[in-house]
Amino acid sequence: MIIVLTGNPGVGKHTVAEKITKKLKMELLDINEIVKNSELFEKNDDAIDVDVEELEKIIHNKINNPMLIVGHLAPYVIPEEKVDKTIVLRKNPYDLYDIYKKRQYTRKKSRQNIECEVLGITAYDSLRKFGKKVFQIDTTRRDVDKVTELVLDIMKGSSHNDEVDWLDMIWREKDLEKIFSD
Ligand SMILES: Nc1ncnc2c1ncn2[C@@H]1O[C@H](COP(=O)(O)OP(=O)(O)OP(=O)(O)O)[C@@H](O)[C@H]1O
Ligand SMILES: [Mg+2]
């Protein structure tokens, strides 16, 4: 079984992936590690531009079955036909803000990533790429063990799928301007 674990930076992908791979003795393929060890990226300001076509070629040769593939770039670099299930971890943008603060992201990088979560870009792009193979888990107020359990349930056939709408929440909290204006 080939499982993809994706979602915005800081949602908890690697923390959960480590638990799953230990428990199931599954091989882990970390997209970030491949990018870091290659010459496929260019540091731009505080973003990193990646040559996704080249990355897809490299990854193609590294995919084994069974495997857990982890990374926020997954919807752009993993061939759809290789994948059994894609799990997108979501996190309340207010909690992400705290995680980015701890990570000492710049204001710009933090904002870009929060916007991305609010608009659900990784989830949307995953749905476009992997369609019915996509399952979402809201990690807000769920500890690592609970999220791990939900991932294992999905792998076993559960149809767990959290539909989140952060945009609506932020609109109701009257924080739209705070998040989307300069
Ligand atoms: N379910 C959870 N509940 C609370 N905190 C969590 C949970 N999962 C992870 N964390 C914490 O959130 C932070 C970010 O987690 P992690 O580094 O695994 O994210 P990531 O999605 O792999 O990020 P990146 O894409 O940047 O690699 C860590 O401090 C981790 O301990
Ligand atoms: Mg990580």
Side-chain angles (χ1 to χ4, degrees):
M1 183 179 267
I2 297 173
I3 302 292
V4 169
L5 192 59
T6 190
N8 257 17
V11 290
K13 299 180 295 294
H14 288 92
T15 311
V16 171
E18 205 179 306
K19 292 235 166 202
I20 304 272
T21 47
K22 260 196 194 139
K23 199 174 165 77
L24 301 183
K25 305 211 176 9
M26 222 174 159
E27 192 184 343
L28 176 78
L29 185 70
D30 184 345
I31 299 173
N32 291 4
E33 282 301 313
I34 297 173
V35 172
K36 266 189 237 158
N37 296 330
S38 68
E39 292 181 352
L40 298 174
F41 68 91
E42 210 175 294
K43 230 172 164 12
N44 250 338
D45 218 344
D46 39 21
I48 290 175
D49 288 338
V50 182
D51 182 340
V52 286
E53 273 176 33
E54 275 307 310
L55 185 55
E56 179 158 11
K57 280 186 209 154
I58 293 175
I59 288 176
H60 201 274
N61 295 320
K62 289 185 187 286
I63 296 179
N64 289 321
N65 195 353
M67 181 172 259
L68 181 65
I69 306 173
V70 181
H72 68 279
L73 292 174
Y76 316 106
V77 298
I78 309 291
E80 186 274 333
E81 66 277 6
K82 291 259 182 190
V83 172
D84 290 293
K85 290 176 187 184
T86 295
I87 298 165
V88 186
L89 300 187
R90 307 294 306 269
K91 198 184 264 306
N92 184 312
Y94 296 106
D95 293 358
L96 272 186
Y97 178 85
D98 294 336
I99 287 168
Y100 296 156
K101 212 168 174 182
K102 270 194 211 132
R103 286 184 172 188
Q104 297 186 306
Y105 276 17
T106 61
R107 214 180 112 74
K108 187 176 166 196
K109 186 171 176 182
S110 168
R111 224 189 93 155
Q112 282 174 344
N113 282 294
I114 286 170
E115 279 176 8
C116 190
E117 179 58 28
V118 170
L119 298 173
I121 290 171
T122 308
Y124 178 78
D125 290 342
S126 295
L127 280 165
R128 273 179 40 137
K129 178 91 177 243
F130 304 110
K132 288 195 174 110
K133 297 174 182 175
V134 175
F135 301 81
Q136 296 187 64
I137 300 175
D138 181 4
T139 65
T140 314
R141 289 186 295 276
R142 282 179 174 142
D143 63 17
V144 178
D145 286 338
K146 182 66 197 171
V147 176
T148 304
E149 189 188 312
L150 289 172
V151 171
L152 291 169
D153 287 348
I154 291 168
M155 288 171 71
K156 279 187 262 170
S158 146
S159 53
H160 181 100
N161 189 34
D162 293 317
E163 304 271 353
V164 298
D165 189 346
W166 305 137
L167 196 53
D168 184 59
M169 176 190 74
I170 282 163
W171 181 77
R172 279 187 281 111
E173 296 289 330
K174 300 191 174 39
D175 278 338
L176 269 184
E177 223 174 308
K178 202 157 106 191
I179 286 176
F180 289 99
S181 69
D182 284 315

